[in-house]
Amino acid sequence: MTASARIHPSAVVEAGARLGEGVVIGPFCHIGAEVELGAGARLLSHVVLTGRTRIGPEAEIHPFAVLGAAAQDLKSRGLPGALVIGRGCLAREGVTINAGTPAGGGETRIGDDCAFLAYSHVGHDCAIGDGVVLSNNVLLGGHVHIGDHVAIGGATVVHQRVRIGAHSFVAGLSGLEGDLIPFGLAGGNRAHLFGLNLVGLRRRGFSDARLAVLREAFRCLFPQETGADVLAARVESVAADFAGAEDVEALIAFLRGERERPLCAPRPARG
């Protein structure tokens, strides 16, 4: 614990907790003995940090958030796990982020500059990239993997072991049961693939030329027919036709990657 930390008299900081320079801990917070809190982090009030939890610098954590609690996995009850959160992350009111489990690699890991809005939940053994936004009441099951700069709309539920590719967007009130491609736009109950996240990509600075290449590759990959065998052949064709196009190569690598869930695909055309 550093001399520069500001701790409200009503807060409980257990012996062994490590606090960085300039940490502010507000009223009625509870910091466990194995917690490490980075420099400049702010806990407003009524925050619980527990377990083997490491939170990077400049975090902002709002009331009634609970970070690092044991996995809600009955098979792993009582087994140790960890939570690692990067720099500059925001957790709003009531956010819960669970620790990992030995069966899932031992830790839940979150990148830099993520925002978890009110009452969102991250299950055990999730891996989340940089710049990810979970809107209010988003629920992630265990073992979900999310790439960089993904946004998920409010009250969306993501099935366990789903992969969500970088720069994609999931609309609010969705139920995402399958893997969502990088740069994709999906929504609905159950969610299907609408197309590319063009609005989000433009906001991220993607040029018109870059988007044109992605759009052409998408049209080649996902015309009206959606059979799995046909898609596998298209993946190899697009990989050859767009060799050297970095964004398309990222999309192809995702589609070639190991999956535990079906692919979130376009809704079949109605005859």
Side-chain angles (χ1 to χ4, degrees), residues 71 82-85 96-101 104-111 116 121-129 132 134 138-147 152 158-164:
L83 169 63
V84 179
I85 298 178
T96 52
I97 304 178
N98 291 167
T101 65
E107 70 179 24
T108 300
R109 179 169 287 273
I110 293 165
F116 303 94
H121 171 73
V122 178
H124 61 89
D125 301 298
C126 288
I128 296 177
V132 171
L134 305 190
V138 169
L139 307 178
L140 303 184
H143 307 275
V144 169
H145 285 215
I146 300 179
I152 302 180
V158 179
H159 195 286
Q160 63 185 14
R161 301 184 186 277
V162 158
R163 298 181 304 148
I164 301 177

Side-chain angles (χ1 to χ4, degrees), residues 20-41:
E21 295 288 338
V23 164
V24 177
I25 298 177
F28 305 106
C29 295
H30 190 147
I31 313 301
E34 296 182 277
V35 170
E36 180 179 344
L37 197 54

